[in-house]
Amino acid sequence: MTVWRITGGEGGPGGPRPERTAPRYDVVELDTPLLRIEGAADAPWLRMSGEVDVSNADDLKRALRAARARVEGDLHVDLTGVDFIDVAGLRVFTAEARDLAGRGGLLVLHSVSAHIDKLVRLIGWDAVPGLELHCRVRP
């Protein structure tokens, strides 16, 4: 399911459209041999690469909260570079999604791998309030 959420700005039918620019990842939240998390100081985006497991789930939680502290509203996480995530990592995502939902926001996971998509759906966490799997599942 694709979810489009338009917040603020102009861009209605016939109106000027805001220019789309890719986020500039200029904040390194975490850089370890297992996981790298980069943030955008002026946009609600995180980009992750590596593996998320019980050993770095607390680091993931800190990175998500730091990003939420910088920018209000929805939080977007690009998982293109994530090769593996276990249930401990997914629990962090679901807890943050529930918290964001309580504040009227969403946690949007982009470029979800088939492994992550399958795991989320098997556990039933695709129905967690505030959690959206966005974009096409990558192989």
Side-chain angles (χ1 to χ4, degrees):
M1 172 169 82
T2 301
V3 175
W4 294 99
R5 187 179 180 104
I6 301 171
T7 56
E10 300 177 66
R17 301 185 93 188
E19 185 176 320
R20 288 185 163 214
T21 58
R24 194 174 110 217
Y25 296 100
D26 55 355
V27 177
V28 176
E29 299 287 352
L30 179 70
D31 191 10
T32 67
L34 191 58
L35 179 64
R36 181 175 174 89
I37 303 175
E38 299 169 288
D42 59 351
W45 280 87
L46 289 175
R47 178 173 56 194
M48 298 174 49
S49 57
E51 298 181 1
V52 181
D53 62 20
V54 70
S55 72
N56 56 20
D58 286 337
D59 295 325
L60 173 59
K61 183 188 306 183
R62 280 191 293 279
L64 291 172
R65 292 201 174 152
R68 285 181 35 205
R70 286 193 302 270
V71 182
E72 299 215 9
D74 299 344
L75 180 59
H76 299 263
V77 181
D78 179 356
L79 299 177
T80 302
V82 174
D83 301 319
F84 174 82
I85 188 166
D86 70 2
V87 175
L90 290 177
R91 277 193 191 116
V92 171
F93 282 137
T94 59
E96 291 300 312
R98 284 187 178 104
D99 191 45
L100 277 166
R103 300 170 188 211
L106 295 173
L107 176 62
V108 185
L109 304 180
H110 294 265
S111 299
V112 177
S113 71
H115 160 75
I116 295 169
D117 183 64
K118 183 176 181 179
L119 189 56
V120 168
R121 293 182 194 288
L122 279 172
I123 296 171
W125 285 344
D126 55 321
V128 167
L131 182 65
E132 295 291 338
L133 303 180
H134 191 77
C135 298
R136 184 177 314 182
V137 174
R138 61 184 172 87

